[in-house]
Amino acid sequence: GESVGLHLPTLSVQEGDNSIINCAYSNSASDYFIWYKQESGKGPQFIIDIRSNMDKRQGQRVTVLLNKTVKHLSLQIAATQPGDSAVYFCAENVGGGSNYKLTFGKGTLLTVNP
Amino acid sequence: NAGVTQTPKFQVLKTGQSMTLQCAQDMNHEYMSWYRQDPGMGLRLIHYSVGAGITDQGEVPNGYNVSRSTTEDFPLRLLSAAPSQTSVYFCASSRRWSQYNSPLHFGNGTRLTVT
């Protein structure tokens, strides 16, 4: 089955609220995780990444949390805006950090209501 | 920089026809790759290249060929199209094949329908 998956396939939030998108992974050897955003009709766009030796990493309005104990990854978006509406993918890397070793999740659709 | 450019944006083929999906990047990236995206599934790697003259198979290579004669271009060839190849195809590149501090940059995709 999927080694990377998402708890919620869809998420609807109000503009200005914080959003949390979750991702579960099953491979304890995964050492690198990435979040991508995909807007309708476009290719995925890199948001933020985190290595397995970290628990938390912050970017501009986004935070990624990694809980290796329960193999869980989350993406938090602060003050969600309509432009954040998109599908969000998590991806994991097993074995050496090569771009050809990435496994992508199916994605969560985030809808931001004005 | 234009980034990663894919052509065409849309294509309809009949079963058995062949075609080439074009991908070009102007960032002097070492690594290039092709993915397909199907409903309900994550992106799946078709073929990749770690540099000019070097290509290798990904997870789902059957029915596709690639070549990398220049750093900039990485075309994907469908030899004899089948309905199972109906999908959205994404080309992606990165500065190096190593992922750390070298994230993938994706094109905007080619939507292919095979009837």
Side-chain angles (χ1 to χ4, degrees):
Chain A
E2 284 281 322
S3 64
V4 176
L6 297 171
H7 294 308
L8 298 173
T10 61
L11 179 64
S12 183
V13 300
Q14 291 299 122
E15 183 178 357
D17 287 351
N18 296 335
S19 303
I20 299 175
I21 301 170
N22 296 304
C23 177
Y25 65 96
S26 58
N27 195 325
S28 58
S30 294
D31 61 356
Y32 183 63
F33 304 88
I34 310 167
W35 282 100
Y36 284 90
K37 171 186 180 183
Q38 186 175 21
E39 296 176 71
S40 181
K42 295 188 176 180
Q45 179 183 8
F46 171 84
I47 302 173
I48 192 168
D49 59 0
I50 187 168
R51 293 202 193 190
S52 58
N53 61 354
M54 302 172 70
D55 297 323
K56 178 179 179 180
R57 190 165 189 218
Q58 288 184 292
Q60 188 176 12
R61 280 201 307 118
V62 295
T63 301
V64 56
L65 299 177
L66 176 62
N67 186 331
K68 295 179 285 294
T69 302
V70 295
K71 300 192 189 70
H72 184 267
L73 190 70
S74 68
L75 177 71
Q76 300 179 358
I77 304 174
T80 314
Q81 302 168 0
D84 294 326
S85 293
V87 174
Y88 290 81
F89 298 96
C90 64
E92 66 176 314
N93 182 274
V94 180
S98 306
N99 271 330
Y100 47 83
K101 292 291 188 183
L102 274 179
T103 299
F104 288 85
K106 297 174 185 175
T108 291
L109 174 61
L110 174 67
T111 302
V112 182
N113 302 310
Chain B
N1 288 343
V4 179
T5 302
Q6 291 184 239
T7 56
K9 286 184 166 43
F10 301 95
Q11 183 70 50
V12 179
L13 290 177
K14 290 185 175 8
T15 297
Q17 287 185 316
S18 62
M19 79 158 294
T20 299
L21 279 62
Q22 301 291 345
C23 175
Q25 52 89 10
D26 61 357
M27 298 172 283
N28 199 33
H29 280 178
E30 168 185 282
Y31 179 82
M32 296 187 75
S33 55
W34 278 100
Y35 288 88
R36 59 178 290 172
Q37 184 176 47
D38 299 294
M41 302 185 74
L43 291 162
R44 291 184 293 168
L45 182 63
I46 304 172
H47 284 285
Y48 65 93
S49 169
V50 298
I54 306 169
T55 63
D56 209 340
Q57 297 181 347
E59 179 187 355
V60 288
N62 292 342
Y64 308 95
N65 273 356
V66 291
S67 60
R68 184 99 179 267
S69 56
T70 66
T71 299
E72 295 78 19
D73 300 298
F74 191 45
L76 178 72
R77 297 183 186 83
L78 279 70
L79 306 173
S80 177
S84 61
Q85 293 179 306
T86 293
S87 188
V88 181
Y89 291 85
F90 288 100
C91 180
S93 71
S94 63
R95 191 159 48 91
R96 302 184 310 275
W97 60 264
S98 169
Q99 210 164 77
Y100 304 134
N101 299 316
S102 182
L104 288 171
H105 295 252
F106 285 84
N108 283 330
T110 294
R111 185 174 293 274
L112 175 68
T113 303
V114 183
T115 62

